[in-house]
Amino acid sequence: MKTIQKVARRPKIVVIGGGTGLSVMLRGLKEKPLDITAIVTVADDGGSSGILRNELNIPPPGDIRSVLTALADAEPLLTEVLRYRFHSGTGLAGHSLGNLMLAAMTDISGDFVTGVRQLSQVLAVRGRVLPAANRAIVLKAEMADGTIITGESMIPKAGQAIKRVFLEPADVEPLAEAVEAIEGADAILIGPGSLYTSIMPNLLVPKLAQAIVESEAVKLFVCNVMTQPGETDNYSVSDHLDAIHAHIGHHLFDYVIVNDGEIPPQVESKYAEMGSKAVHLDIDEVTKRGYEVIADRLVLFRTFLRHDAERLSHHIYKLVENWMIRKR
């Protein structure tokens, strides 16, 4: 009887994005036999990251720090310390210790990417963490009325629908290692995360987008569970995909992974107070556009709704494993 052979090596997966959703998912993926490279946005300009970016002229460390701690194999206490945020102290209030450590490592090594690499070694990170570029970039948005909003942190506060987002400079060079990782990937995974302010800044880096388009890897999109006020109000799954297509000009994904589990009414009410609701799951529209849909109950609720990292990573790994077996 013919048996299906297992993949002979660890699949190389490149995960692209930023924000809390990416970090939650990576905590699940690091438990799978995968060779992970995370490419993380450098457009953040708010809070601790924004202050360090402006004062020290470095890429914003916050999203990078979150991904490092998510992939870390270090003692739980150490990762907790890195996430610690000072609540008082002149100049210290609002800063996370991990952000300050990344700033220090950059100063010591003379280079942000080297600093990230060295902190990765200290934390025994499972995989590689790379900024999309070795410099901070400015994200701008053209709103529905033609107004231009400057700054990632300001865009969701504009109170209007987003027509498009774009980078300054538009021709920013990606990190060479990031392009090489995409070119050598077996799978490319984008999302979850803020569509316009965490995902798009990576895809708008010209050579990164080109490398993704030209890659023969299986390409997956993990859609957010809830809409984000000021960014994706009333969006469906297909609206997310249409926005990416409109910005990049290409059909990027083979598979779209979505939540079809029910959200408890009391949780929906809590999110409604913040102007957020469940992303409408319009599977017919998604499949009509040529995407294959993987739908499952993918959410957990504690203080906030989060993706079920274990269940989500199981689907991702099986998709990647089956893709590689078919290629052999």
Side-chain angles (χ1 to χ4, degrees):
M1 189 172 87
K2 190 175 180 180
T3 58
I4 296 177
Q5 292 183 324
K6 289 286 185 182
V7 176
R9 60 173 174 81
R10 285 178 175 248
K12 296 179 180 179
I13 185 168
V14 173
V15 184
I16 301 172
T20 304
L22 179 66
S23 299
V24 169
M25 181 179 66
L26 286 171
R27 288 189 179 92
L29 284 179
K30 77 177 181 182
E31 303 300 333
K32 300 295 183 183
L34 293 166
D35 182 348
I36 300 171
T37 298
I39 298 174
V40 186
T41 177
V42 285
D44 188 8
D45 64 355
S48 170
S49 283
I51 293 169
L52 293 173
R53 165 184 173 148
N54 293 333
E55 292 188 356
L56 303 179
N57 195 28
I58 62 172
D63 284 335
I64 296 277
R65 180 258 308 159
S66 295
V67 169
L68 286 171
T69 54
L71 289 173
D73 222 4
E75 291 294 326
L77 180 59
L78 179 55
T79 57
E80 186 179 340
V81 166
L82 284 174
R83 285 195 294 266
Y84 176 77
R85 196 171 293 276
F86 294 93
H87 300 290
S88 61
T90 304
L92 271 180
H95 283 297
S96 80
L97 183 58
N99 287 358
L100 296 174
M101 285 184 66
L102 264 175
M105 295 292 271
T106 300
D107 198 36
I108 292 167
S109 66
D111 176 75
F112 184 71
V113 175
T114 303
V116 172
R117 188 180 298 120
Q118 291 175 345
L119 190 56
S120 296
Q121 294 171 353
V122 171
L123 296 174
V125 164
R126 298 189 197 180
R128 285 192 300 167
V129 179
L130 303 172
N134 198 14
R135 54 167 294 178
I137 55 178
V138 176
L139 184 68
K140 294 188 173 185
E142 180 184 356
M143 312 308 288
D145 69 348
T147 305
I148 303 297
I149 304 296
T150 298
E152 174 268 344
S153 63
M154 300 305 296
I155 292 169
K157 300 175 183 177
Q160 292 192 56
I162 297 169
K163 184 176 180 181
R164 68 183 180 103
V165 290
F166 55 100
L167 300 183
E168 190 177 273
D171 59 350
V172 62
E173 284 290 319
L175 196 69
E177 292 168 83
V179 175
E180 290 167 8
I182 291 169
E183 291 173 343
D186 298 303
I188 298 168
L189 175 61
I190 296 172
S194 301
L195 177 63
Y196 289 104
T197 55
S198 290
I199 292 173
M200 291 292 196
N202 299 291
L203 299 181
L204 290 172
V205 176
K207 291 180 183 177
L208 278 188
Q210 182 182 350
I212 295 168
V213 170
E214 294 175 354
S215 170
E216 295 183 1
V218 61
K219 297 159 194 172
L220 320 172
F221 178 68
V222 181
C223 190
N224 286 352
V225 175
M226 306 298 289
T227 63
Q228 293 181 280
E231 256 189 81
T232 55
D233 298 287
N234 300 313
Y235 269 39
S236 65
V237 175
S238 66
D239 288 331
H240 284 76
L241 296 164
D242 289 349
I244 292 172
H245 191 283
H247 280 76
I248 309 306
H250 289 275
H251 181 104
L252 281 189
F253 309 108
D254 302 295
Y255 293 92
V256 178
I257 302 175
V258 298
N259 171 63
D260 68 355
E262 288 189 19
I263 298 169
Q266 67 272 22
V267 176
E268 286 191 323
S269 296
K270 177 179 178 178
Y271 273 81
E273 292 173 4
M274 299 183 286
S276 179
K277 64 181 182 179
V279 171
H280 175 55
L281 179 52
D282 54 345
I283 289 181
D284 288 345
E285 288 297 319
V286 175
T287 54
K288 190 187 298 183
R289 286 158 172 74
Y291 305 100
E292 290 195 46
V293 178
I294 305 297
D296 195 5
R297 180 174 54 81
L298 295 175
V299 289
L300 295 172
F301 178 73
R302 293 190 176 94
T303 306
F304 296 97
L305 275 175
R306 295 284 184 254
H307 274 95
D308 182 330
E310 184 176 347
R311 192 182 288 262
L312 178 58
S313 60
H314 168 77
H315 282 293
I316 292 166
Y317 181 71
K318 294 306 294 183
L319 277 172
V320 175
E321 185 181 46
N322 290 337
W323 178 272
M324 290 188 66
I325 289 170
R326 289 202 299 270
K327 283 177 59 180
R328 291 178 63 181

